[in-house]
Amino acid sequence: MGLLAPLFLLGLAALAAPVVVHLMQRDRREAVEFPSLMFLQRIPFRTSRRQRIRHWPLFLLRCLALLLLVAAFARPFVRDRLAFAAGDAAREVVVLLDRSYSMGYGERWARASAAVGETIDALRPADRATLVLFDTDAAAGAPTSDPAALRAALDEARPGAGGTRYAPALRVARRILETSDRARREVVLVSDFQRLAWSGAGSEVRMAPGTEVRTMDVGEGETSNAAVTGVELGREREGGREWATVAARVVHRGDSAAGVLGATLELNGREIERTTIPIAAGGVGRVTFARVPLPEGESRAVVRLDADRLRADDAFHFTLAPGRSLSLLLVEPTGAAASHALYLTRALSIGRRPPIDAEVARGAALPASALAGRSVVVLHDAAPGEDAARRLRAWVERGGGLIVAAGERGSARAWPAALAEIMPGEVGEVVDRVDGRGGRLAVLDRSHPALAPFDAPRSGDFAAARFLRYRRLTPAADAAVLARFDDGTPALLERRVGEGRVMLWGGTLDAYWSDLALQPVYLPFVHQLARHAAAYADARAWRTVGEGLELPRAADGAAAHDAAGAPTVVVAPSGARTRIAADGARRVVLDEAGFYEIERAGGAGA
C-alpha cells in the first residue's frame, strides 16, 4: 500500500481537537457579595479536580471523522499484488531513450548513455528488457535478457534530427508491457524533457495498473544555443544570367549573451562568403549574403553558423536552381491585326514569378511540334481545326493547360467536336451592353486557387472594369463557376480534363470588348490564369525533418523503366540506400538533415 500525498498525514495532529473538547470543563462561578473580609481568617487548603471522558461513543466518532478526512487527502492506494511479490521476481523493463536532436546539446547524450548503461547493469538473469529509441516517432528493439545485446544497441544509437514526442514512445512501452508475463513491469524514461514534447492531440497515455515509471532527467539548467531557422531567396536577371540573394534568419535561445556569430554561405561544398551577425540573448537576427550567379541545374546550398554546443541546428540545407519558366503558346485567328493581342503579349512578357515565354501563332493548324514542351495554350478569339483540336485535347488530357477567350469567333458553332467536348461550358450569343454603362464583374470566388491571390486587401479591384460586350456562357455539369457578371452571367469557368484543365473566359483579353486591359488588376489577373492553368507551383527549396515525400511516377522516356519493374533508389544524407519498387509505395519519410538523392535504377544519371 502507498500514499500519493503522504504529507497530508500531518493532519493527524487534529485528533487532539476531540480530546480537548471532551476534557475541557467549564467552571460555573457565582459571585457572592460580602461586605468585608477583615474578620475572616485565611486558611490554606488544597483542591484537586479529576477530568475524564464521559461520552466515549461521541469522542470516537469525532476522532474517526478526522482520521478519514486526513486519509482522503493523503490518497492511499493499494499496489498490484504482483508488486508485493518476492524481491527476486522477474521484471519486464522498457527503457525509453530520447534520441531527438536536442539530446546532442553538450554532454546530454553521454549522460543519457551512462544512465541507460546503469539500468542494463542492474538487470538480473530472470529480467527481460527492451530498448526503445524515440523522437517524434518510436522504434523498439527486440526484447532480450542478454545485457550484451542491449549494450550493442545502445552503442549504435545516436541523436537524430527529429523533435521530441513522448506519447509514441509511451504507447510502444504500454503495448510491450501488456503482452508481458513477468511479475513486475517497469518503464525507464531517459530524456532532457523538452517543454513542447507533450503538445499535440493524443498526447495523453495511461499505463496499466501496477506499472512503475521512473524518469531520468539528463538536461542542464542554463543553456545557450543559436540556430538558423529559415532562409529567404531573392532572384533577379542581369547580363543574361540569373542571380540569387540569400538571407538567413538566426534565432538565439537562452539566457547567456550570444555576442557576434560567424555565418558562412556554401554552394556545392564550396565556401562563397563568410560574414558575422550580432545577436542578443534570446534575440532574432538576419544576415544577408551578397548575390551569387546560379549555376546550371540544382545546387546544394548551406548556411552554416560557427559551431556551438548544439550543432544539429547550426546548418540550414536548401537547394538553389534557376527559376522555371512557363512556355505559353498564344493562338490568334488568321489575319488578325498586329495589335490584336498587344495588351496580352505585353502583360505576359512582364511576368517574373515565374517568367513566361510567350510565342504567338496564327491560324487553325496546330502541329504537334507547336505543343511540344508547352505549359499553357491560349486560344484568343481563335478556333483550331479538326486535327488540331484532337491534338489539343490529347495534350490537355496529359496535363496541359488551355485558356479560351471567347470573342467574335468564339461561338459554339466554331468549335470542332473534339474541342467542344472538353469545354467547361457552352458559348452562346453575345450580350451587348454598349447602350448602358457596361457590365461589371460582380462575383468572384476568391476561395478558389485561381483567384486566391486577390483575396487579400488591396490585391486588385475588378469592380472598376467595364464590359461592353461578352458571351453568354452555360456551365457544364462538372464545371466550376469562378466569376459572374452583374447580370448573373458566368464570366469565368473551369473544368478538369484528365490530368489538365480548361478555363473559359466569356470575353476577350484585349481592349476591344472591355477596358479590363487598362486596369491595374489586368496584369496579375492574366499571370494568375496562366499559372493556374499550368498547375504551376514554386519549387520548394527545403523540407522539414519528419515530412513525407511522395515520389513522382516515371514519365515519358522513363516510363519504360517502371514498366520493366526497375526500382527507385533513395540515398539519405548518411549514405543509407532505400530501394523502392516501381509498383510499391512511393512515399519516403525524411528523417535526416542534409541532402537526399533520388536515383532511378537503370536510368541515365541521378
Side-chain angles (χ1 to χ4, degrees), residues 343 439 441 444 461-468 485 505 507-526 529:
Y343 289 96
L441 276 177
L444 286 93
D461 182 15
F462 287 91
R466 293 193 307 162
F467 296 86
L468 302 179
F485 294 108
W505 174 247
T508 62
L509 293 173
D510 52 31
Y512 291 100
W513 279 14
S514 72
D515 64 352
L516 176 63
L518 306 179
Q519 304 298 326
V521 75
Y522 177 72
L523 187 143
F525 176 62
V526 295
L529 286 184

PDB file of all heavy atoms in Angstrom, residues 343 439 441 444 461-468 485 505 507-526 529:
ATOM      1  N   TYR A 343      -1.978  43.996 -75.730  1.00  0.00           N
ATOM      2  CA  TYR A 343      -2.002  44.097 -74.267  1.00  0.00           C
ATOM      3  C   TYR A 343      -1.644  42.758 -73.617  1.00  0.00           C
ATOM      4  O   TYR A 343      -0.914  42.716 -72.624  1.00  0.00           O
ATOM      5  CB  TYR A 343      -3.381  44.555 -73.798  1.00  0.00           C
ATOM      6  CG  TYR A 343      -3.692  45.989 -74.118  1.00  0.00           C
ATOM      7  CD1 TYR A 343      -4.429  46.331 -75.262  1.00  0.00           C
ATOM      8  CD2 TYR A 343      -3.260  47.018 -73.292  1.00  0.00           C
ATOM      9  CE1 TYR A 343      -4.721  47.653 -75.553  1.00  0.00           C
ATOM     10  CE2 TYR A 343      -3.546  48.341 -73.580  1.00  0.00           C
ATOM     11  CZ  TYR A 343      -4.272  48.652 -74.715  1.00  0.00           C
ATOM     12  OH  TYR A 343      -4.550  49.957 -75.015  1.00  0.00           O
ATOM     13  N   GLY A 439     -21.261  46.330 -68.268  1.00  0.00           N
ATOM     14  CA  GLY A 439     -21.394  45.401 -67.154  1.00  0.00           C
ATOM     15  C   GLY A 439     -20.182  45.431 -66.234  1.00  0.00           C
ATOM     16  O   GLY A 439     -19.146  46.019 -66.539  1.00  0.00           O
ATOM     17  N   LEU A 441     -17.895  42.992 -63.207  1.00  0.00           N
ATOM     18  CA  LEU A 441     -17.674  41.714 -62.530  1.00  0.00           C
ATOM     19  C   LEU A 441     -18.170  41.853 -61.105  1.00  0.00           C
ATOM     20  O   LEU A 441     -17.609  42.615 -60.316  1.00  0.00           O
ATOM     21  CB  LEU A 441     -16.188  41.350 -62.543  1.00  0.00           C
ATOM     22  CG  LEU A 441     -15.662  40.656 -63.795  1.00  0.00           C
ATOM     23  CD1 LEU A 441     -14.168  40.426 -63.677  1.00  0.00           C
ATOM     24  CD2 LEU A 441     -16.364  39.333 -64.021  1.00  0.00           C
ATOM     25  N   LEU A 444     -16.789  37.049 -57.545  1.00  0.00           N
ATOM     26  CA  LEU A 444     -15.560  36.285 -57.772  1.00  0.00           C
ATOM     27  C   LEU A 444     -15.368  35.302 -56.626  1.00  0.00           C
ATOM     28  O   LEU A 444     -15.514  35.673 -55.450  1.00  0.00           O
ATOM     29  CB  LEU A 444     -14.328  37.191 -57.864  1.00  0.00           C
ATOM     30  CG  LEU A 444     -14.163  38.007 -59.145  1.00  0.00           C
ATOM     31  CD1 LEU A 444     -14.801  39.385 -58.969  1.00  0.00           C
ATOM     32  CD2 LEU A 444     -12.699  38.160 -59.515  1.00  0.00           C
ATOM     33  N   ASP A 461      -8.654  45.477 -57.872  1.00  0.00           N
ATOM     34  CA  ASP A 461     -10.047  45.929 -57.906  1.00  0.00           C
ATOM     35  C   ASP A 461     -10.639  45.572 -59.264  1.00  0.00           C
ATOM     36  O   ASP A 461     -10.353  46.214 -60.278  1.00  0.00           O
ATOM     37  CB  ASP A 461     -10.122  47.439 -57.660  1.00  0.00           C
ATOM     38  CG  ASP A 461     -11.564  47.942 -57.645  1.00  0.00           C
ATOM     39  OD1 ASP A 461     -12.478  47.097 -57.540  1.00  0.00           O
ATOM     40  OD2 ASP A 461     -11.768  49.157 -57.740  1.00  0.00           O
ATOM     41  N   PHE A 462     -11.463  44.515 -59.290  1.00  0.00           N
ATOM     42  CA  PHE A 462     -12.120  44.123 -60.536  1.00  0.00           C
ATOM     43  C   PHE A 462     -13.372  44.959 -60.815  1.00  0.00           C
ATOM     44  O   PHE A 462     -13.844  44.993 -61.952  1.00  0.00           O
ATOM     45  CB  PHE A 462     -12.506  42.644 -60.463  1.00  0.00           C
ATOM     46  CG  PHE A 462     -11.352  41.699 -60.581  1.00  0.00           C
ATOM     47  CD1 PHE A 462     -10.676  41.265 -59.450  1.00  0.00           C
ATOM     48  CD2 PHE A 462     -10.924  41.244 -61.810  1.00  0.00           C
ATOM     49  CE1 PHE A 462      -9.607  40.389 -59.549  1.00  0.00           C
ATOM     50  CE2 PHE A 462      -9.857  40.366 -61.928  1.00  0.00           C
ATOM     51  CZ  PHE A 462      -9.191  39.938 -60.792  1.00  0.00           C
ATOM     52  N   ALA A 463     -13.903  45.614 -59.801  1.00  0.00           N
ATOM     53  CA  ALA A 463     -15.157  46.353 -59.990  1.00  0.00           C
ATOM     54  C   ALA A 463     -14.987  47.580 -60.871  1.00  0.00           C
ATOM     55  O   ALA A 463     -15.973  48.107 -61.398  1.00  0.00           O
ATOM     56  CB  ALA A 463     -15.721  46.765 -58.626  1.00  0.00           C
ATOM     57  N   ALA A 464     -13.756  48.044 -61.053  1.00  0.00           N
ATOM     58  CA  ALA A 464     -13.547  49.249 -61.859  1.00  0.00           C
ATOM     59  C   ALA A 464     -13.630  48.969 -63.353  1.00  0.00           C
ATOM     60  O   ALA A 464     -13.807  49.904 -64.150  1.00  0.00           O
ATOM     61  CB  ALA A 464     -12.185  49.858 -61.520  1.00  0.00           C
ATOM     62  N   ALA A 465     -13.492  47.726 -63.777  1.00  0.00           N
ATOM     63  CA  ALA A 465     -13.502  47.397 -65.205  1.00  0.00           C
ATOM     64  C   ALA A 465     -14.934  47.401 -65.743  1.00  0.00           C
ATOM     65  O   ALA A 465     -15.862  46.918 -65.092  1.00  0.00           O
ATOM     66  CB  ALA A 465     -12.841  46.046 -65.431  1.00  0.00           C
ATOM     67  N   ARG A 466     -15.108  47.927 -66.967  1.00  0.00           N
ATOM     68  CA  ARG A 466     -16.414  47.946 -67.637  1.00  0.00           C
ATOM     69  C   ARG A 466     -16.368  46.981 -68.825  1.00  0.00           C
ATOM     70  O   ARG A 466     -15.427  46.990 -69.618  1.00  0.00           O
ATOM     71  CB  ARG A 466     -16.756  49.346 -68.137  1.00  0.00           C
ATOM     72  CG  ARG A 466     -16.992  50.369 -67.033  1.00  0.00           C
ATOM     73  CD  ARG A 466     -17.640  51.620 -67.598  1.00  0.00           C
ATOM     74  NE  ARG A 466     -16.873  52.156 -68.728  1.00  0.00           N
ATOM     75  CZ  ARG A 466     -17.372  53.010 -69.621  1.00  0.00           C
ATOM     76  NH1 ARG A 466     -18.626  53.412 -69.512  1.00  0.00           N
ATOM     77  NH2 ARG A 466     -16.614  53.468 -70.614  1.00  0.00           N
ATOM     78  N   PHE A 467     -17.411  46.162 -68.939  1.00  0.00           N
ATOM     79  CA  PHE A 467     -17.514  45.168 -70.010  1.00  0.00           C
ATOM     80  C   PHE A 467     -18.691  45.555 -70.903  1.00  0.00           C
ATOM     81  O   PHE A 467     -19.856  45.462 -70.506  1.00  0.00           O
ATOM     82  CB  PHE A 467     -17.717  43.769 -69.419  1.00  0.00           C
ATOM     83  CG  PHE A 467     -16.553  43.291 -68.599  1.00  0.00           C
ATOM     84  CD1 PHE A 467     -16.460  43.635 -67.254  1.00  0.00           C
ATOM     85  CD2 PHE A 467     -15.555  42.528 -69.160  1.00  0.00           C
ATOM     86  CE1 PHE A 467     -15.387  43.204 -66.493  1.00  0.00           C
ATOM     87  CE2 PHE A 467     -14.484  42.097 -68.401  1.00  0.00           C
ATOM     88  CZ  PHE A 467     -14.392  42.436 -67.067  1.00  0.00           C
ATOM     89  N   LEU A 468     -18.377  45.987 -72.144  1.00  0.00           N
ATOM     90  CA  LEU A 468     -19.414  46.421 -73.079  1.00  0.00           C
ATOM     91  C   LEU A 468     -20.032  45.243 -73.810  1.00  0.00           C
ATOM     92  O   LEU A 468     -21.212  45.307 -74.192  1.00  0.00           O
ATOM     93  CB  LEU A 468     -18.819  47.416 -74.077  1.00  0.00           C
ATOM     94  CG  LEU A 468     -18.182  48.662 -73.453  1.00  0.00           C
ATOM     95  CD1 LEU A 468     -17.615  49.561 -74.536  1.00  0.00           C
ATOM     96  CD2 LEU A 468     -19.189  49.414 -72.597  1.00  0.00           C
ATOM     97  N   PHE A 485     -20.779  38.081 -64.066  1.00  0.00           N
ATOM     98  CA  PHE A 485     -21.071  39.492 -64.300  1.00  0.00           C
ATOM     99  C   PHE A 485     -22.239  39.921 -63.429  1.00  0.00           C
ATOM    100  O   PHE A 485     -22.892  39.085 -62.771  1.00  0.00           O
ATOM    101  CB  PHE A 485     -21.386  39.729 -65.775  1.00  0.00           C
ATOM    102  CG  PHE A 485     -20.210  39.490 -66.689  1.00  0.00           C
ATOM    103  CD1 PHE A 485     -20.160  38.379 -67.520  1.00  0.00           C
ATOM    104  CD2 PHE A 485     -19.143  40.377 -66.696  1.00  0.00           C
ATOM    105  CE1 PHE A 485     -19.077  38.158 -68.355  1.00  0.00           C
ATOM    106  CE2 PHE A 485     -18.054  40.171 -67.526  1.00  0.00           C
ATOM    107  CZ  PHE A 485     -18.017  39.054 -68.355  1.00  0.00           C
ATOM    108  N   TRP A 505     -13.058  32.006 -70.629  1.00  0.00           N
ATOM    109  CA  TRP A 505     -13.341  33.399 -70.291  1.00  0.00           C
ATOM    110  C   TRP A 505     -14.406  33.917 -71.259  1.00  0.00           C
ATOM    111  O   TRP A 505     -14.284  33.756 -72.471  1.00  0.00           O
ATOM    112  CB  TRP A 505     -12.060  34.217 -70.363  1.00  0.00           C
ATOM    113  CG  TRP A 505     -12.193  35.701 -70.189  1.00  0.00           C
ATOM    114  CD1 TRP A 505     -11.980  36.661 -71.116  1.00  0.00           C
ATOM    115  CD2 TRP A 505     -12.574  36.390 -68.990  1.00  0.00           C
ATOM    116  NE1 TRP A 505     -12.188  37.908 -70.602  1.00  0.00           N
ATOM    117  CE2 TRP A 505     -12.562  37.771 -69.273  1.00  0.00           C
ATOM    118  CE3 TRP A 505     -12.918  35.977 -67.707  1.00  0.00           C
ATOM    119  CZ2 TRP A 505     -12.886  38.746 -68.336  1.00  0.00           C
ATOM    120  CZ3 TRP A 505     -13.235  36.944 -66.770  1.00  0.00           C
ATOM    121  CH2 TRP A 505     -13.218  38.301 -67.070  1.00  0.00           C
ATOM    122  N   GLY A 507     -15.232  36.768 -72.394  1.00  0.00           N
ATOM    123  CA  GLY A 507     -14.968  37.930 -73.225  1.00  0.00           C
ATOM    124  C   GLY A 507     -13.630  37.813 -73.910  1.00  0.00           C
ATOM    125  O   GLY A 507     -13.124  36.711 -74.141  1.00  0.00           O
ATOM    126  N   THR A 508     -13.065  38.935 -74.246  1.00  0.00           N
ATOM    127  CA  THR A 508     -11.730  38.953 -74.834  1.00  0.00           C
ATOM    128  C   THR A 508     -10.735  39.451 -73.792  1.00  0.00           C
ATOM    129  O   THR A 508     -11.113  40.026 -72.768  1.00  0.00           O
ATOM    130  CB  THR A 508     -11.690  39.875 -76.060  1.00  0.00           C
ATOM    131  OG1 THR A 508     -12.009  41.210 -75.642  1.00  0.00           O
ATOM    132  CG2 THR A 508     -12.682  39.414 -77.109  1.00  0.00           C
ATOM    133  N   LEU A 509      -9.455  39.206 -74.085  1.00  0.00           N
ATOM    134  CA  LEU A 509      -8.396  39.655 -73.189  1.00  0.00           C
ATOM    135  C   LEU A 509      -7.645  40.835 -73.795  1.00  0.00           C
ATOM    136  O   LEU A 509      -6.466  41.037 -73.519  1.00  0.00           O
ATOM    137  CB  LEU A 509      -7.435  38.497 -72.885  1.00  0.00           C
ATOM    138  CG  LEU A 509      -8.040  37.351 -72.057  1.00  0.00           C
ATOM    139  CD1 LEU A 509      -7.079  36.183 -71.964  1.00  0.00           C
ATOM    140  CD2 LEU A 509      -8.447  37.826 -70.672  1.00  0.00           C
ATOM    141  N   ASP A 510      -8.350  41.605 -74.609  1.00  0.00           N
ATOM    142  CA  ASP A 510      -7.780  42.825 -75.175  1.00  0.00           C
ATOM    143  C   ASP A 510      -8.661  43.997 -74.771  1.00  0.00           C
ATOM    144  O   ASP A 510      -9.498  43.877 -73.871  1.00  0.00           O
ATOM    145  CB  ASP A 510      -7.656  42.709 -76.701  1.00  0.00           C
ATOM    146  CG  ASP A 510      -8.967  42.282 -77.344  1.00  0.00           C
ATOM    147  OD1 ASP A 510     -10.044  42.628 -76.809  1.00  0.00           O
ATOM    148  OD2 ASP A 510      -8.928  41.594 -78.382  1.00  0.00           O
ATOM    149  N   ALA A 511      -8.504  45.133 -75.447  1.00  0.00           N
ATOM    150  CA  ALA A 511      -9.250  46.342 -75.080  1.00  0.00           C
ATOM    151  C   ALA A 511     -10.421  46.620 -76.024  1.00  0.00           C
ATOM    152  O   ALA A 511     -10.914  47.742 -76.072  1.00  0.00           O
ATOM    153  CB  ALA A 511      -8.308  47.543 -75.057  1.00  0.00           C
ATOM    154  N   TYR A 512     -10.895  45.579 -76.759  1.00  0.00           N
ATOM    155  CA  TYR A 512     -11.968  45.813 -77.715  1.00  0.00           C
ATOM    156  C   TYR A 512     -13.343  45.706 -77.071  1.00  0.00           C
ATOM    157  O   TYR A 512     -14.228  46.522 -77.330  1.00  0.00           O
ATOM    158  CB  TYR A 512     -11.858  44.827 -78.884  1.00  0.00           C
ATOM    159  CG  TYR A 512     -10.665  45.096 -79.766  1.00  0.00           C
ATOM    160  CD1 TYR A 512      -9.504  44.331 -79.633  1.00  0.00           C
ATOM    161  CD2 TYR A 512     -10.679  46.116 -80.688  1.00  0.00           C
ATOM    162  CE1 TYR A 512      -8.402  44.579 -80.428  1.00  0.00           C
ATOM    163  CE2 TYR A 512      -9.575  46.381 -81.498  1.00  0.00           C
ATOM    164  CZ  TYR A 512      -8.445  45.609 -81.358  1.00  0.00           C
ATOM    165  OH  TYR A 512      -7.346  45.867 -82.142  1.00  0.00           O
ATOM    166  N   TRP A 513     -13.571  44.696 -76.250  1.00  0.00           N
ATOM    167  CA  TRP A 513     -14.896  44.491 -75.657  1.00  0.00           C
ATOM    168  C   TRP A 513     -14.979  45.047 -74.233  1.00  0.00           C
ATOM    169  O   TRP A 513     -16.072  45.131 -73.680  1.00  0.00           O
ATOM    170  CB  TRP A 513     -15.222  43.001 -75.635  1.00  0.00           C
ATOM    171  CG  TRP A 513     -15.732  42.492 -76.960  1.00  0.00           C
ATOM    172  CD1 TRP A 513     -15.672  43.123 -78.158  1.00  0.00           C
ATOM    173  CD2 TRP A 513     -16.378  41.246 -77.183  1.00  0.00           C
ATOM    174  NE1 TRP A 513     -16.228  42.372 -79.127  1.00  0.00           N
ATOM    175  CE2 TRP A 513     -16.684  41.192 -78.568  1.00  0.00           C
ATOM    176  CE3 TRP A 513     -16.730  40.159 -76.389  1.00  0.00           C
ATOM    177  CZ2 TRP A 513     -17.336  40.111 -79.152  1.00  0.00           C
ATOM    178  CZ3 TRP A 513     -17.376  39.073 -76.967  1.00  0.00           C
ATOM    179  CH2 TRP A 513     -17.676  39.054 -78.335  1.00  0.00           C
ATOM    180  N   SER A 514     -13.875  45.366 -73.618  1.00  0.00           N
ATOM    181  CA  SER A 514     -13.885  45.875 -72.240  1.00  0.00           C
ATOM    182  C   SER A 514     -12.635  46.705 -72.020  1.00  0.00           C
ATOM    183  O   SER A 514     -11.726  46.715 -72.861  1.00  0.00           O
ATOM    184  CB  SER A 514     -13.939  44.720 -71.232  1.00  0.00           C
ATOM    185  OG  SER A 514     -12.704  44.036 -71.196  1.00  0.00           O
ATOM    186  N   ASP A 515     -12.613  47.409 -70.919  1.00  0.00           N
ATOM    187  CA  ASP A 515     -11.401  48.159 -70.564  1.00  0.00           C
ATOM    188  C   ASP A 515     -10.632  47.449 -69.450  1.00  0.00           C
ATOM    189  O   ASP A 515      -9.840  48.069 -68.744  1.00  0.00           O
ATOM    190  CB  ASP A 515     -11.750  49.584 -70.153  1.00  0.00           C
ATOM    191  CG  ASP A 515     -12.599  49.645 -68.883  1.00  0.00           C
ATOM    192  OD1 ASP A 515     -13.042  48.580 -68.410  1.00  0.00           O
ATOM    193  OD2 ASP A 515     -12.827  50.757 -68.371  1.00  0.00           O
ATOM    194  N   LEU A 516     -10.846  46.118 -69.311  1.00  0.00           N
ATOM    195  CA  LEU A 516     -10.108  45.363 -68.294  1.00  0.00           C
ATOM    196  C   LEU A 516      -8.599  45.458 -68.534  1.00  0.00           C
ATOM    197  O   LEU A 516      -7.815  45.542 -67.587  1.00  0.00           O
ATOM    198  CB  LEU A 516     -10.559  43.892 -68.306  1.00  0.00           C
ATOM    199  CG  LEU A 516      -9.809  42.948 -67.353  1.00  0.00           C
ATOM    200  CD1 LEU A 516     -10.039  43.360 -65.906  1.00  0.00           C
ATOM    201  CD2 LEU A 516     -10.230  41.496 -67.582  1.00  0.00           C
ATOM    202  N   ALA A 517      -8.190  45.466 -69.815  1.00  0.00           N
ATOM    203  CA  ALA A 517      -6.765  45.528 -70.126  1.00  0.00           C
ATOM    204  C   ALA A 517      -6.136  46.846 -69.708  1.00  0.00           C
ATOM    205  O   ALA A 517      -4.899  46.942 -69.652  1.00  0.00           O
ATOM    206  CB  ALA A 517      -6.551  45.295 -71.619  1.00  0.00           C
ATOM    207  N   LEU A 518      -6.961  47.856 -69.398  1.00  0.00           N
ATOM    208  CA  LEU A 518      -6.440  49.154 -68.986  1.00  0.00           C
ATOM    209  C   LEU A 518      -6.406  49.311 -67.473  1.00  0.00           C
ATOM    210  O   LEU A 518      -5.945  50.349 -66.974  1.00  0.00           O
ATOM    211  CB  LEU A 518      -7.289  50.275 -69.600  1.00  0.00           C
ATOM    212  CG  LEU A 518      -7.474  50.228 -71.123  1.00  0.00           C
ATOM    213  CD1 LEU A 518      -8.360  51.377 -71.581  1.00  0.00           C
ATOM    214  CD2 LEU A 518      -6.130  50.263 -71.834  1.00  0.00           C
ATOM    215  N   GLN A 519      -6.869  48.300 -66.748  1.00  0.00           N
ATOM    216  CA  GLN A 519      -6.937  48.373 -65.292  1.00  0.00           C
ATOM    217  C   GLN A 519      -5.675  47.775 -64.665  1.00  0.00           C
ATOM    218  O   GLN A 519      -5.048  46.864 -65.233  1.00  0.00           O
ATOM    219  CB  GLN A 519      -8.171  47.631 -64.765  1.00  0.00           C
ATOM    220  CG  GLN A 519      -9.483  48.119 -65.345  1.00  0.00           C
ATOM    221  CD  GLN A 519      -9.754  49.565 -65.001  1.00  0.00           C
ATOM    222  OE1 GLN A 519      -9.399  50.037 -63.920  1.00  0.00           O
ATOM    223  NE2 GLN A 519     -10.395  50.278 -65.922  1.00  0.00           N
ATOM    224  N   PRO A 520      -5.280  48.268 -63.495  1.00  0.00           N
ATOM    225  CA  PRO A 520      -4.083  47.718 -62.828  1.00  0.00           C
ATOM    226  C   PRO A 520      -4.190  46.230 -62.509  1.00  0.00           C
ATOM    227  O   PRO A 520      -3.172  45.538 -62.405  1.00  0.00           O
ATOM    228  CB  PRO A 520      -3.965  48.557 -61.554  1.00  0.00           C
ATOM    229  CG  PRO A 520      -4.705  49.817 -61.846  1.00  0.00           C
ATOM    230  CD  PRO A 520      -5.826  49.438 -62.770  1.00  0.00           C
ATOM    231  N   VAL A 521      -5.431  45.732 -62.349  1.00  0.00           N
ATOM    232  CA  VAL A 521      -5.593  44.336 -61.976  1.00  0.00           C
ATOM    233  C   VAL A 521      -5.370  43.391 -63.155  1.00  0.00           C
ATOM    234  O   VAL A 521      -5.261  42.173 -62.982  1.00  0.00           O
ATOM    235  CB  VAL A 521      -7.005  44.120 -61.376  1.00  0.00           C
ATOM    236  CG1 VAL A 521      -8.074  44.125 -62.477  1.00  0.00           C
ATOM    237  CG2 VAL A 521      -7.073  42.844 -60.560  1.00  0.00           C
ATOM    238  N   TYR A 522      -5.288  43.937 -64.374  1.00  0.00           N
ATOM    239  CA  TYR A 522      -5.194  43.092 -65.572  1.00  0.00           C
ATOM    240  C   TYR A 522      -3.924  42.249 -65.562  1.00  0.00           C
ATOM    241  O   TYR A 522      -3.962  41.037 -65.834  1.00  0.00           O
ATOM    242  CB  TYR A 522      -5.243  43.976 -66.818  1.00  0.00           C
ATOM    243  CG  TYR A 522      -5.078  43.227 -68.117  1.00  0.00           C
ATOM    244  CD1 TYR A 522      -6.091  42.423 -68.603  1.00  0.00           C
ATOM    245  CD2 TYR A 522      -3.896  43.318 -68.857  1.00  0.00           C
ATOM    246  CE1 TYR A 522      -5.948  41.740 -69.811  1.00  0.00           C
ATOM    247  CE2 TYR A 522      -3.738  42.640 -70.060  1.00  0.00           C
ATOM    248  CZ  TYR A 522      -4.771  41.855 -70.525  1.00  0.00           C
ATOM    249  OH  TYR A 522      -4.633  41.180 -71.716  1.00  0.00           O
ATOM    250  N   LEU A 523      -2.797  42.852 -65.272  1.00  0.00           N
ATOM    251  CA  LEU A 523      -1.531  42.126 -65.330  1.00  0.00           C
ATOM    252  C   LEU A 523      -1.489  40.959 -64.341  1.00  0.00           C
ATOM    253  O   LEU A 523      -1.200  39.822 -64.735  1.00  0.00           O
ATOM    254  CB  LEU A 523      -0.364  43.086 -65.109  1.00  0.00           C
ATOM    255  CG  LEU A 523       1.036  42.512 -65.310  1.00  0.00           C
ATOM    256  CD1 LEU A 523       1.954  43.541 -65.958  1.00  0.00           C
ATOM    257  CD2 LEU A 523       1.638  42.092 -63.965  1.00  0.00           C
ATOM    258  N   PRO A 524      -1.759  41.171 -63.045  1.00  0.00           N
ATOM    259  CA  PRO A 524      -1.752  39.994 -62.154  1.00  0.00           C
ATOM    260  C   PRO A 524      -2.838  38.990 -62.497  1.00  0.00           C
ATOM    261  O   PRO A 524      -2.678  37.796 -62.234  1.00  0.00           O
ATOM    262  CB  PRO A 524      -1.961  40.600 -60.757  1.00  0.00           C
ATOM    263  CG  PRO A 524      -2.553  41.931 -60.990  1.00  0.00           C
ATOM    264  CD  PRO A 524      -2.005  42.416 -62.288  1.00  0.00           C
ATOM    265  N   PHE A 525      -3.945  39.444 -63.110  1.00  0.00           N
ATOM    266  CA  PHE A 525      -5.027  38.522 -63.448  1.00  0.00           C
ATOM    267  C   PHE A 525      -4.590  37.538 -64.530  1.00  0.00           C
ATOM    268  O   PHE A 525      -4.767  36.323 -64.388  1.00  0.00           O
ATOM    269  CB  PHE A 525      -6.252  39.322 -63.896  1.00  0.00           C
ATOM    270  CG  PHE A 525      -7.395  38.470 -64.351  1.00  0.00           C
ATOM    271  CD1 PHE A 525      -8.010  37.575 -63.492  1.00  0.00           C
ATOM    272  CD2 PHE A 525      -7.864  38.554 -65.665  1.00  0.00           C
ATOM    273  CE1 PHE A 525      -9.074  36.784 -63.914  1.00  0.00           C
ATOM    274  CE2 PHE A 525      -8.918  37.775 -66.094  1.00  0.00           C
ATOM    275  CZ  PHE A 525      -9.524  36.881 -65.218  1.00  0.00           C
ATOM    276  N   VAL A 526      -3.999  38.033 -65.627  1.00  0.00           N
ATOM    277  CA  VAL A 526      -3.596  37.115 -66.693  1.00  0.00           C
ATOM    278  C   VAL A 526      -2.416  36.256 -66.247  1.00  0.00           C
ATOM    279  O   VAL A 526      -2.297  35.096 -66.665  1.00  0.00           O
ATOM    280  CB  VAL A 526      -3.263  37.899 -67.985  1.00  0.00           C
ATOM    281  CG1 VAL A 526      -4.507  38.592 -68.518  1.00  0.00           C
ATOM    282  CG2 VAL A 526      -2.140  38.901 -67.763  1.00  0.00           C
ATOM    283  N   LEU A 529      -4.041  33.455 -64.247  1.00  0.00           N
ATOM    284  CA  LEU A 529      -4.706  32.496 -65.135  1.00  0.00           C
ATOM    285  C   LEU A 529      -3.682  31.541 -65.741  1.00  0.00           C
ATOM    286  O   LEU A 529      -3.906  30.326 -65.805  1.00  0.00           O
ATOM    287  CB  LEU A 529      -5.462  33.233 -66.237  1.00  0.00           C
ATOM    288  CG  LEU A 529      -6.762  33.952 -65.857  1.00  0.00           C
ATOM    289  CD1 LEU A 529      -7.408  34.550 -67.100  1.00  0.00           C
ATOM    290  CD2 LEU A 529      -7.727  33.018 -65.157  1.00  0.00           C
TER     291      LEU A 529
END
